[in-house]
Amino acid sequence: MKNFEDFLKKLEASKSAVEKGVQKGVHKAGILVEGDAKSICAVDTGQLRTSINTQVETKGTKTVANIGTNVEQGIYIEFGTGQQGDQSVPHNLNWKGMKPQPFLRPAFDHNVNSGNVDVIIKDEISKELRRL
């Protein structure tokens, strides 16, 4: 019976280790995407670049990294405006506007499609499990 109790304790510890690894991995992956977004965003005053940040949120078993900006021009830079804007989002088409200069979506897509995000999260889970 003692072996089974030890097994259950290790199983519970493994669950906690995986959750902790996921949280750390999502945070590190978010920071990576943030850095890439900062390196490719359009720069005039530097306000947009400086404002890009990562916030990690865990609700239950779900951990999410929110990478974005709180400056007003961010959405206009990312999606463009007017007739030249990205047509996947609503625009006032009564004027020529400006072309999109996306920075968040390409940074995210690159790191997901290249496997960087998966590698980081798997590495962090492995590190936590090795500590058991």
Side-chain angles (χ1 to χ4, degrees):
M1 191 65 131
K2 183 168 178 5
N3 287 341
F4 184 68
E5 289 172 5
D6 289 342
F7 170 74
L8 289 178
K9 285 180 184 177
K10 286 186 178 185
L11 189 60
E12 186 61 35
S14 296
K15 178 183 174 194
S16 296
V18 168
E19 289 172 354
K20 188 174 182 180
V22 167
Q23 290 171 355
K24 285 182 174 183
V26 167
H27 184 256
K28 282 187 174 183
I31 296 297
L32 177 66
V33 172
E34 173 188 325
D36 286 354
K38 285 180 175 182
S39 72
I40 61 176
C41 79
V43 177
D44 181 18
T45 65
Q47 180 188 21
L48 176 59
R49 177 186 289 164
T50 304
S51 73
I52 300 169
N53 67 77
T54 300
Q55 296 178 356
V56 177
E57 187 177 345
T58 300
K59 290 183 180 177
T61 59
K62 185 177 180 180
T63 300
V64 176
N66 296 304
I67 303 115
T69 176
N70 62 353
V71 298
E72 185 177 0
Q73 71 266 27
I75 193 165
Y76 303 119
I77 303 291
E78 180 77 16
F79 292 103
T81 61
Q83 295 170 1
Q84 296 188 69
D86 182 330
Q87 297 305 305
S88 68
V89 294
H91 290 285
N92 178 346
L93 301 177
N94 294 334
W95 66 302
K96 186 175 179 181
M98 70 175 194
K99 291 181 181 179
Q101 300 174 66
F103 55 98
L104 290 170
R105 293 173 295 159
F108 175 80
D109 291 345
H110 166 72
N111 284 291
V112 169
N113 295 337
S114 67
N116 292 342
V117 169
D118 288 344
V119 168
I120 290 170
I121 294 171
K122 287 176 187 176
D123 285 351
E124 290 303 316
I125 292 170
S126 295
K127 285 179 191 175
E128 292 300 321
L129 288 172
R130 282 194 297 273
R131 290 186 175 136
L132 296 179

